[in-house]
Structure formats: structure tokens, C-alpha cells
């Protein structure tokens, strides 16, 4: 195997094993690094079911991102799907992120991209 292929396989295995909490910590670190203010409900038992894991605001980019975080094999609940659908219907930027999105650079790219005013 070529070294790049080994790195790719190792990275895929690590992504498959990453917990939602580990993903959340990584996303929060990236968000902070890129100037985002973020909020996470620390005890979801005291909130409305399905509310997204992170709400992130970037005043310079004039963006708000709602993010639902799932481990590789995690599935969205009906309540989470409803929140996502309602937020999207209201014109909000909503993402469901998994460890592969961290691994392949998708999350980093989204946090650094400035959306043009429409």
C-alpha cells in the first residue's frame, strides 16, 4: 500500500470510531478558531426534543449556522428532522455533520466561507 492510502484508511477508521462528543469538541474548536460564537445546550433533557446541537453565529460573515452532530452510524430522530425542516423552511443555514465531514474538510470549508449577500 502507498503511504497516502494507509493515511486514508487510518483516517476513515478514526472517523468511524469518533464519538459525537469528540466531534462536537472539534467543531467547537474550529468555530472558535474562525471567529464564530457558538452555543451548545449542556443538558438536553431540559430542552425541547430535537433542538440542534450547536448554534453558531459569525457577525462578520453575517451568518448563523444550526448544526446537528452525529457519529458515523448515528440516525436523526423524528424531532431532529422536524427542527431541521422548520429551520430550512425559515431560510436558515442548517447542517448535519458527521466525523467524515470533519475528516474531509467540509466543516472547515463551511466555517471559513463567506456567503455573498443576496
Amino acid at each position: 500500500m502507498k503511504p497516502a492510502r494507509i493515511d486514508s484508511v487510518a483516517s476513515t477508521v478514526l472517523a468511524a470510531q469518533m464519538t459525537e462528543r469528540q466531534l462536537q469538541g472539534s467543531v467547537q474548536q474550529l468555530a472558535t478558531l474562525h471567529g464564530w460564537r457558538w452555543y451548545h445546550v449542556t443538558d438536553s433533557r431540559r430542552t425541547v426534543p430535537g433542538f440542534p446541537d450547536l448554534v453558531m453565529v459569525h457577525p462578520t460573515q453575517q451568518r448563523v449556522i444550526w448544526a446537528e452532530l452525529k457519529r458515523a452510524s448515528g440516525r436523526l430522530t423524528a424531532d431532529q428532522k422536524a427542527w431541521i425542516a422548520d429551520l430550512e423552511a425559515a431560510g436558515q443555514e442548517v447542517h448535519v455533520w458527521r466525523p467524515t465531514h470533519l475528516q474531509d474538510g467540509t466543516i472547515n470549508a463551511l466555517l471559513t466561507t463567506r456567503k455573498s449577500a443576496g
Side-chain angles (χ1 to χ4, degrees):
M1 270 189 190
K2 296 179 183 176
R5 176 73 178 134
I6 292 170
D7 288 346
S8 176
V9 170
S11 189
T12 300
V13 169
L14 289 175
Q17 295 175 348
M18 181 179 264
T19 66
E20 191 174 304
R21 177 173 277 185
Q22 290 168 327
L23 174 61
Q24 178 184 317
S26 295
V27 170
Q28 289 169 335
Q29 286 178 346
L30 268 176
T32 300
L33 177 70
H34 293 303
W36 292 81
R37 179 183 293 252
W38 53 264
Y39 177 75
H40 168 72
V41 176
T42 54
D43 186 355
S44 62
R45 295 172 299 177
R46 296 178 182 226
T47 63
V48 177
F51 191 81
D53 292 311
L54 287 174
V55 179
M56 299 180 291
V57 178
H58 198 293
T60 306
Q61 292 186 28
Q62 298 180 340
R63 290 170 64 198
V64 176
I65 291 179
W66 301 79
E68 182 59 44
L69 306 174
K70 290 290 178 191
R71 55 182 231 214
S73 62
R75 296 178 188 256
L76 293 171
T77 67
D79 289 322
Q80 289 168 332
K81 289 176 184 177
W83 267 105
I84 290 167
D86 288 349
L87 287 165
E88 288 176 338
Q92 296 296 297
E93 183 177 353
V94 185
H95 299 280
V96 177
W97 287 331
R98 298 178 184 278
T100 53
H101 298 117
L102 183 64
Q103 170 198 354
D104 69 11
T106 299
I107 296 171
N108 189 58
L110 283 165
L111 294 178
T112 58
T113 301
R114 293 176 184 247
K115 288 203 167 187
S116 60

